[in-house]
Amino acid sequence: MCFRTTAKIMLIAAAGLFVSLAGILPASAVDYSGKKITIIVPFKEGGGTDGLARLFAPYLQKELPGNPDVIVLNQPGGGGVTGSNKFQRTDVKDGTVLGMGSTSTFVAYAIGGEKVKYDPMSWEPIILMLRGAIVYANGDKMGLKGGLNDPKGDVAIAQSKPVIIGMKTPTSAELSDYISWRILGANVKPVFGLSTSKQRKAFFREEIMANVDGTGPYLKKVVGKSEFNTVPMFSFGYDGPDGNRLRDPDAPDLPTMEEFYQAAFGKAPKGPAYDAYRNITGLRVMSKLVALPPGTPKDVVETYIAAMKRIAEDPKAAKAIKKTVGSLPVFYGEAAKPIMAAGFKIKPAAREWMSKELGEKFNVKM
């Protein structure tokens, strides 16, 4: 066989090998050697979103190709709007900039505030983590029993006494707490300007009479910590495959708001206010998102999803993540988008109810 024929056969074989490997190997190798990854957190240091970003940072450094440095950049302001707007505007699409989304940023987007210039549905989700939430109250001062102990009596009290709650802003995550009490016909009196940790402290000082917390923080930081009787009222639960609200698996003995309402009024909740509640609490449960900017190449997105899945399988990381967000489902990549879309899709009548409520009570325009 002549040299040219042999060379031709080798080239054909090499081409065939390249084609077969193309289905196995990524189209382009993503490598972050010598680079720095920045995670934008739209809140100040010390909150839940910041804590989760700092939890992920060292694991991302370990799992991303090239083992890049990973830093957290806090961009607080406007209840998460300022940092989210900055993330939306970034021109960096190579995976060196990540953004964190949370309930507050989701609620602000869904309501459509004038300063909101970002669209979470345009982001490239890496991981979406659901987290349960529990509404609780000062049983001693309010005279509430909570749960299914005496729902009718609890509603009568909530309608006759001011239910003082803490909120960051009228459109922050605590809007879920506000609406849940309003559906019960309660006389809700919000105190604004309180972060999550300050709300909890104000509750312990008996400056506010009711509060809402993620299930994990409630079990760790609230139960048994007050000098008075803290009673859990109900949980927000989460949406099952059939659309019905299911109990929080981390608080299985506590009824959902729907169960509490049914026991108190003898009928299921319905109407625009309840539809608004479903949307806002759905966004509340849709607690934490790690995402890449709009337009990030597919190979970069897939690299991050693979890294995040490995992190979630690490026993130490998995334990820390569960401690932060609980046992509710986790969604990766495109699987997160239907969950997000459902939360952001507000019925016209529900939007009208919220617009009127926020406008009349707090002079907020949707």
Side-chain angles (χ1 to χ4, degrees), residues 135 137 139 143-151 154 231-234 254-255 260:
V135 173
L144 300 170
K145 296 181 179 179
L148 297 178
N149 293 306
D150 185 15
D154 284 350
V231 294
M233 299 301 298
F234 45 79
L254 192 64
F260 182 90

Side-chain angles (χ1 to χ4, degrees), residues 192-272:
F192 295 114
L194 300 179
S195 65
T196 301
S197 61
K198 288 182 179 179
Q199 290 164 25
R200 201 178 297 124
K201 290 176 182 178
F203 178 77
F204 289 146
R205 291 194 298 263
E206 299 188 272
E207 295 168 356
I208 62 175
M209 292 294 103
N211 198 28
V212 62
D213 248 314
T215 306
Y218 167 77
L219 295 173
K220 180 182 178 182
K221 299 180 180 181
V222 177
V223 174
K225 303 296 183 182
S226 62
E227 296 180 358
F228 50 85
N229 181 29
T230 297
V231 294
M233 299 301 298
F234 45 79
S235 78
F236 291 153
Y238 71 103
D239 292 338
D242 58 358
N244 290 324
R245 279 287 165 98
L246 304 178
R247 289 192 178 191
D248 189 329
D250 294 316
D253 296 329
L254 192 64
T256 62
M257 192 285 293
E258 286 81 356
E259 293 176 283
F260 182 90
Y261 187 101
Q262 178 79 45
F265 296 99
K267 59 182 180 181
K270 64 179 182 179

Side-chain angles (χ1 to χ4, degrees), residues 143-180:
L144 300 170
K145 296 181 179 179
L148 297 178
N149 293 306
D150 185 15
K152 289 183 179 180
D154 284 350
V155 166
I157 291 171
Q159 291 177 348
S160 62
K161 292 183 178 181
V163 179
I164 305 171
I165 66 171
M167 299 178 71
K168 295 186 192 75
T169 70
T171 60
S172 59
E174 299 79 29
L175 182 59
S176 56
D177 188 20
Y178 174 85
I179 295 178
S180 69

